[in-house]
C-alpha cells in the first residue's frame, strides 16, 4: 500500500476548508497498527489506532502537529511540520493519519510507513521530509 490522499481533501483544499499557514488550523497525527482508510475516507477514524493504554505513552487521537509552514516555488507549494516525537514510547505502528481538528476532524493524508515501526521504552519519531524539495514534502501541490 502507499500513502493516501483522500478525494474529499482535494475538494476541501480548493474550498478553503484547511488552513496550513502558521497560526492557521490545528492538525494532529494519529498512529495505526493497520490502515482503516481508503481514498473515499473523509474524517479521522480510531479503528486500528495504536493503543493508548498499558504504558504505551501514546495519547488517544494522536499528537498535535507543531510549527506548520507553507513554502512555495514557482510551480509547487509544500506543507511541513516539526518532527513529531513520542517519548518513552512502547508501541508498534505501520500507518499514520494527519487530520484537521479545526474542521470537524477532516482527514488530510494517510502515511504508509512501509512496514511496522516499533519503539520499546524509547523515542518514536516521525521525521518530515525537507520541504525545500517539494516533491518530497508530506503534502505538496504542483501546477
Amino acid at each position: 500500500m502507499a500513502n493516501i490522499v483522500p478525494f474529499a481533501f482535494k475538494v476541501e483544499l480548493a474550498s478553503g476548508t484547511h488552513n496550513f499557514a502558521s497560526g492557521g488550523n490545528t492538525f494532529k497525527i494519529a498512529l495505526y497498527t493497520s490502515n482503516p482508510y481508503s481514498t473515499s475516507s473523509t474524517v479521522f477514524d480510531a479503528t486500528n489506532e495504536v493503543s493508548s493504554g498499558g504504558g504505551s505513552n501514546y495519547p488517544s487521537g494522536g499528537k498535535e502537529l507543531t510549527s506548520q509552514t507553507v513554502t512555495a516555488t514557482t510551480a509547487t507549494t509544500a506543507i511541513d511540520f516539526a518532527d513529531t516525537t513520542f517519548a518513552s514510547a512502547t508501541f508498534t505502528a505501520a500507518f499514520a493519519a494527519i487530520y484537521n481538528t479545526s474542521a470537524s476532524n477532516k482527514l488530510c493524508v494517510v502515511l504508509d510507513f512501509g512496514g511496522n515501526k516499533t519503539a520499546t521504552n524509547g523515542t518514536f519519531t516521525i521525521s518530515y521530509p525537507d520541504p525545500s524539495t517539494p516533491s518530497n514534502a508530506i503534502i505538496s501541490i504542483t501546477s
Side-chain angles (χ1 to χ4, degrees), residues 35-109:
N35 185 5
Y37 296 107
S38 71
T39 54
S40 62
S41 299
T42 58
V43 296
F44 165 76
D45 185 345
T47 304
N48 304 329
E49 187 179 9
V50 166
S51 172
S52 61
S56 69
N57 203 22
Y58 174 80
S60 181
K63 283 187 94 170
E64 187 174 312
L65 295 169
T66 60
S67 302
Q68 62 200 45
T69 58
V70 177
T71 58
T73 64
T74 315
T76 305
T77 300
I79 298 159
D80 189 32
F81 302 96
D83 292 352
T84 305
T85 59
F86 299 84
S88 303
T90 298
F91 57 76
T92 298
F95 296 89
I98 294 174
Y99 65 101
N100 187 344
T101 63
S102 300
S104 304
N105 294 336
K106 292 192 179 289
L107 184 63
C108 299
V109 65

Side-chain angles (χ1 to χ4, degrees), residues 98-136:
I98 294 174
Y99 65 101
N100 187 344
T101 63
S102 300
S104 304
N105 294 336
K106 292 192 179 289
L107 184 63
C108 299
V109 65
V110 178
L111 308 173
D112 182 344
F113 293 162
N116 288 333
K117 306 299 178 192
T118 301
T120 304
N121 198 27
T123 301
F124 189 98
T125 302
I126 302 169
S127 298
Y128 302 98
D130 180 0
S132 65
T133 307
S135 61
N136 292 333

